[in-house]
């Protein structure tokens, strides 16, 4: 009997030791997480982070990367794909490629020529505390340039100025906008507009994706029935900055695609239900042969950009 009790006592002691070890390991793991990930897990528990965001989370740094000037000198290039009030069609590199399409085309078997492999500037997020310590306004441009050792009049300085001016530009009718200079501030903006029960999604594409024919495969998933929506577009800056804005009456889908060369993708399709304020001369409406206020007009979310939707 005594030996039996001794074994039980020893087992209990061992169990407590193991539990204490696991608890200590968990505390160590939490403490070593980057602050952005720790914040994400605390306010969005159980919510997966899309690769387009997770790959931008790095240790605290305020030094701009050596290859700061990336794929172009205009950080807002891809924004023209989702704000159809401008007349600039220069983003069309191939007259046969599709930019916009009708909602009824989101079905298995539909094939269209599309570019999913867009290059995205690779600057990473700063922790919010660090980002908030750095000015972000046109009035503070000299201080910003000095912070990053950039010469006034240089190409880098021009990109910095252009991005800040885009964030300060006139708000479109019915639009709520915010330039998120940290992952934490992006999360806060999304929750302030959509509530705490939200998720972030992005287009996921295999490496090497090119302009080619893509065919919709079975497994299309509708994410919502229409309503408020937030899109966040990565701008070119010395660190990760996203231009986030709301769109009312928008439907979203996750669409499995397969390219002619075998490349696979899960693309986020955004369908705008109210186009009444769009310019009738813009390419999207002309491409689908509609007038403002007609049927919903859709497009795929560029790779590296983020959509926030209610769960």
């Amino acid at each position: 009997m005594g030996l039996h009790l001794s074994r039980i006592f020893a087992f209990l002691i061992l169990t407590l030791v193991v539990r204490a070890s696991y608890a200590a390991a968990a505390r160590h793991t939490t403490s070593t997480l980057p602050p952005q990930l720790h914040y994400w897990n605390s306010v969005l528990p159980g919510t997966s982070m899309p690769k387009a965001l997770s790959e931008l989370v790095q240790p605290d740094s305020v030094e701009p990367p050596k290859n700061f000037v990336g794929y172009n000198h205009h950080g807002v290039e891809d924004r023209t794909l989702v704000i159809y009030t401008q007349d600039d069609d220069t983003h069309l590199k191939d007259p046969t490629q599709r930019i916009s399409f009708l909602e009824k085309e989101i079905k298995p078997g539909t094939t269209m020529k599309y570019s999913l492999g867009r290059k995205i500037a690779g600057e990473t997020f700063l922790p919010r505390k660090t980002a908030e310590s750095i000015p972000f306004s046109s009035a503070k441009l000299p201080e910003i340039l000095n912070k990053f050792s950039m010469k006034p009049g240089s190409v880098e300085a021009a990109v910095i100025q252009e991005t800040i001016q885009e964030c300060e530009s006139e708000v479109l009718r019915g639009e709520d906008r915010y330039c998120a200079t940290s992952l934490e501030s992006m999360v806060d903006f999304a929750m302030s507009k959509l509530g705490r029960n939200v998720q972030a999604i992005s287009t996921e594409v295999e490496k090497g994706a090119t302009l080619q024919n893509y065919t919709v495969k079975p497994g299309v998933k509708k994410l919502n029935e229409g309503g408020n929506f937030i899109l966040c577009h990565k701008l070119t800056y010395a660190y990760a900055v996203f231009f986030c804005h709301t769109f009312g009456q928008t439907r979203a889908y996750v669409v499995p695609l397969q390219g002619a060369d075998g490349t696979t993708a899960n693309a986020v399709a955004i369908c705008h239900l109210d186009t009444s304020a769009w310019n009738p001369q813009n390419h999207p409406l002309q491409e689908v042969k509609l007038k403002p206020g007609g049927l919903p007009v859709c497009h795929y979310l560029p790779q590296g950009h983020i959509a926030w939707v209610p769960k």
Side-chain angles (χ1 to χ4, degrees), residues 83-155:
I83 299 184
Y84 301 126
T85 57
Q86 303 177 18
D87 291 322
D88 183 10
D89 292 332
T90 57
H91 57 276
L92 290 175
K93 304 295 191 300
D94 184 330
T96 66
Q97 82 174 85
R98 297 288 298 275
I99 294 297
S100 54
F101 48 89
L102 298 177
E103 192 171 20
K104 66 180 182 180
E105 296 181 86
I106 305 177
K107 62 180 181 180
T110 297
T111 298
M112 65 179 70
K113 194 173 187 179
Y114 211 89
S115 177
L116 293 175
R118 293 184 175 87
K119 297 179 181 179
I120 300 297
E123 292 72 41
T124 57
F125 280 117
L126 297 180
R128 172 154 52 187
K129 184 177 180 180
T130 303
E132 289 181 346
S133 71
I134 304 173
F136 190 83
S137 71
S138 296
K140 297 287 187 177
L141 184 60
E143 183 178 345
I144 296 170
L145 297 182
N146 182 65
K147 177 73 175 179
F148 294 111
S149 302
M150 296 178 184
K151 296 181 179 180
S154 66
V155 174

Side-chain angles (χ1 to χ4, degrees), residues 56-72:
L56 300 180
V57 176
Q58 299 292 333
D60 190 354
S61 173
V62 295
E63 294 299 325
K66 294 180 180 179
N67 60 341
F68 165 61
V69 180
Y71 63 101
N72 62 67

